[in-house]
Amino acid sequence: MRRSPTLTALAALALAPATVHAAPWTAPQTLSAPHASQGPVGVASLALGGLVAGWRWRDDAGGDASSGAAIATRAPAARGFGAQSPTIDGLVALGPLGLRQTVTVGARAVPTSRGPAGTILRASLGGGPARTLAVARIWGRPVLASAAGGSDALIAYVERTQTASGTRRRVVRAIERRRGTWTAPSTLSGTGRADVLAAAQNPLGDAVVAFVRDGTLVARLRRPGRRWGPIQRLARSSGPTAWTVSTFLDRAGRARVTWRRHPHGGVSELRTAVVPRGRDTFTAPQTLVADGASARFAVASTLTGWVVADVEPTRAGPRPMLHRTPRFAGAPWTRLPVAPAGRGIRGADVAGNLNGSVTVAWVQPVRGQGGDGRIRSATLDADPKATAFGPVEDVSPAEAAHEVRLADDGGLILALWTARPGRAGPDEPRTVVRAAGRTG
């Protein structure tokens, strides 16, 4: 694996052990009942304050499997979340809508005597009755694009089809919510075979959908009141390749697509491209990590620009990193180490606060917990010239935490994670969903 000179230079700094300070995080609150498995956790921050978290759960007890989904709501200015409640079956996505509402999306298989014949795609607004939007042979996981304060939403998915001549395709469909009504599915890509998919929308109605089709990463952009623009090619790979794609749209209509491309036997790079304000085409991609990019990364918009958090290899082990750039197109990215390296560090997430500061959180494995461990974080001051993160903070106890999500609730940074704090039986680990807020 090729290492950049910057990685080598940072490795020497990573040899120093991390000093963990008393965290300005609240005591963890348990949001869920215990189940055999839960997650991932989805989060929707609402326009007038407050936050909704949602997750799927599953139990396998005595050969009888059961599953479901739940949500928990944190009211504006509340000290914690309310009790969990059931939500749409087969929850796959959760997002904000309007000033106070959320939209949840569920996908469940159509059962037949010969096995699943397709997928029922449904959506619910504000916990109301679910409406069936499509029945199709869906490939992978549908994605939802919505924004706090916005009235529109978009659900995109990949559908398996077959032509009259027998040609098999994986096409990209979109169902949009406009002026209070869900549209019929439309086709964004009707040729080739699509797989990886991401979408984003801002409160004004700008939307972007990115997907990989036949080894090429492409994107389509739609401005408010206009039709979808042409397909734009962002990256290409030959041969088997693992892709991770993220999309983001800020309030000014800047659309950013960030991706990790890892061809079989090749380097794993992290790149990004943006549509500047007032334009409709993507800039040339910029490379954030030339090799060693982690499978999970996170993108956020801040008061002054964009940030991308990931975990990168150093000689001392994996290390959480932050890449930062101003808003104007073509500006260089600054690479900042978040915390010292540590064995098995993974799963970085990032959130920007209303005061301009940036918090990064990650999973710090603990011995004997199968790669799980505790959640830790560090925060970068709001000063645009700041280049050093504050001290490492413990967000959770060492309780086999598996993943972490960060969200901003009106200036309060919240962390949500799944964890196995104990065992319900000799061979039955139990998982719960927890949350904590950063008070500093």
Side-chain angles (χ1 to χ4, degrees), residues 372-386:
D372 294 339
R374 68 173 77 241
I375 306 300
R376 283 182 168 164
S377 73
T379 296
L380 183 68
D381 189 74
D383 184 353
K385 297 181 180 180

Side-chain angles (χ1 to χ4, degrees), residues 111-149:
T112 70
S113 58
R114 297 183 179 181
T119 300
I120 303 174
L121 186 64
R122 303 190 305 160
S124 170
L125 300 181
R131 175 180 173 181
T132 298
L133 303 180
V135 179
R137 299 177 64 208
I138 294 178
W139 172 277
R141 190 182 185 98
V143 296
L144 168 68
S146 66

Side-chain angles (χ1 to χ4, degrees), residues 6 12 15 26 53 62 65 98-99 116 123 133 135 152 173 185 189 217 223 226 243 266 273 282 302 326-327 329 407:
T6 307
L15 294 177
T26 60
L99 298 179
L133 303 180
V135 179
D152 298 337
R173 310 280 198 207
S189 170
L217 175 62
R223 295 303 188 187
R226 292 162 57 181
W243 295 84
F282 283 88
T302 69
R327 290 195 184 280

Side-chain angles (χ1 to χ4, degrees), residues 353-426:
N353 202 328
L354 290 178
N355 64 11
S357 63
V358 176
T359 297
V360 177
W362 62 93
V363 177
Q364 181 85 47
V366 173
R367 187 182 301 274
Q369 295 186 352
D372 294 339
R374 68 173 77 241
I375 306 300
R376 283 182 168 164
S377 73
T379 296
L380 183 68
D381 189 74
D383 184 353
K385 297 181 180 180
T387 58
F389 274 77
V392 175
E393 303 163 351
D394 277 340
V395 181
S396 78
E399 58 177 6
H402 181 66
E403 62 169 358
V404 61
R405 286 289 309 273
L406 293 178
D408 172 51
D409 180 17
L412 175 70
I413 295 296
L414 291 170
L416 300 99
W417 66 94
T418 55
R420 291 180 283 111
R423 291 182 177 272

Side-chain angles (χ1 to χ4, degrees), residues 20-343:
V20 181
H21 289 241
W25 291 85
T26 60
Q29 178 188 2
T30 299
L31 308 187
S32 72
H35 293 285
S37 63
Q38 302 199 73
V41 180
V43 180
S45 296
L46 307 182
L48 297 182
L51 182 143
V52 179
W55 59 90
R56 295 172 70 167
W57 58 263
R58 182 178 177 85
D59 284 323
D60 298 284
D64 295 325
S66 60
S67 62
I71 59 171
T73 300
R74 180 186 176 100
R79 293 187 176 182
F81 285 81
Q84 73 169 55
S85 60
T87 188
I88 193 168
D89 287 342
L91 178 70
V92 294
L94 164 71
L97 188 69
L99 298 179
R100 304 176 187 273
Q101 279 192 317
T102 58
V103 54
T104 52
V105 180
R108 294 298 296 265
V110 180
T112 70
S113 58
R114 297 183 179 181
T119 300
I120 303 174
L121 186 64
R122 303 190 305 160
S124 170
L125 300 181
R131 175 180 173 181
T132 298
L133 303 180
V135 179
R137 299 177 64 208
I138 294 178
W139 172 277
R141 190 182 185 98
V143 296
L144 168 68
S146 66
S151 59
D152 298 337
L154 165 74
I155 300 170
Y157 59 95
V158 176
E159 180 181 354
R160 293 177 291 177
T161 65
Q162 186 170 322
T163 65
S165 62
T167 301
R168 295 181 178 179
R169 295 174 177 169
R170 294 201 296 265
V171 303
V172 179
R173 310 280 198 207
I175 300 173
E176 300 182 61
R177 183 172 176 82
R178 301 176 184 171
R179 296 182 290 276
T181 302
W182 291 104
T183 66
S186 61
T187 301
L188 297 183
S189 170
T191 63
R193 296 191 177 190
D195 43 30
V196 180
L197 180 67
Q201 188 157 307
N202 69 5
L204 301 181
D206 297 283
V208 62
V209 176
F211 51 94
V212 176
R213 185 180 68 182
D214 297 333
T216 300
L217 175 62
V218 299
R220 295 190 70 175
L221 182 70
R222 191 207 62 211
R223 295 303 188 187
R226 292 162 57 181
R227 296 179 180 271
W228 286 95
I231 287 180
Q232 302 185 51
R233 292 169 175 80
L234 302 180
R236 182 174 178 81
S237 186
S238 59
T241 302
W243 295 84
T244 307
V245 181
S246 173
T247 51
F248 202 103
L249 257 165
D250 69 9
R251 296 185 66 90
R254 302 177 185 91
R256 180 168 294 280
V257 178
T258 307
W259 64 92
R260 176 188 183 260
R261 179 175 58 182
H262 188 193
H264 180 69
V267 301
S268 56
E269 63 176 4
L270 185 63
R271 308 191 77 190
T272 187
V274 67
V275 176
R277 183 176 184 176
R279 292 176 54 185
D280 293 328
T281 57
F282 283 88
T283 61
Q286 294 174 289
T287 299
L288 303 183
V289 182
D291 188 16
S294 57
R296 175 174 172 177
F297 59 88
V299 183
S301 176
T302 69
L303 291 178
T304 58
W306 302 88
V307 290
V308 177
D310 71 333
V311 176
E312 300 172 22
T314 70
R315 289 183 177 178
R319 188 173 193 181
M321 297 284 184
L322 183 80
H323 302 261
R324 180 178 65 179
T325 189
R327 290 195 184 280
F328 59 88
W333 288 78
T334 302
R335 188 162 173 260
L336 306 175
V338 177
R343 178 176 297 178

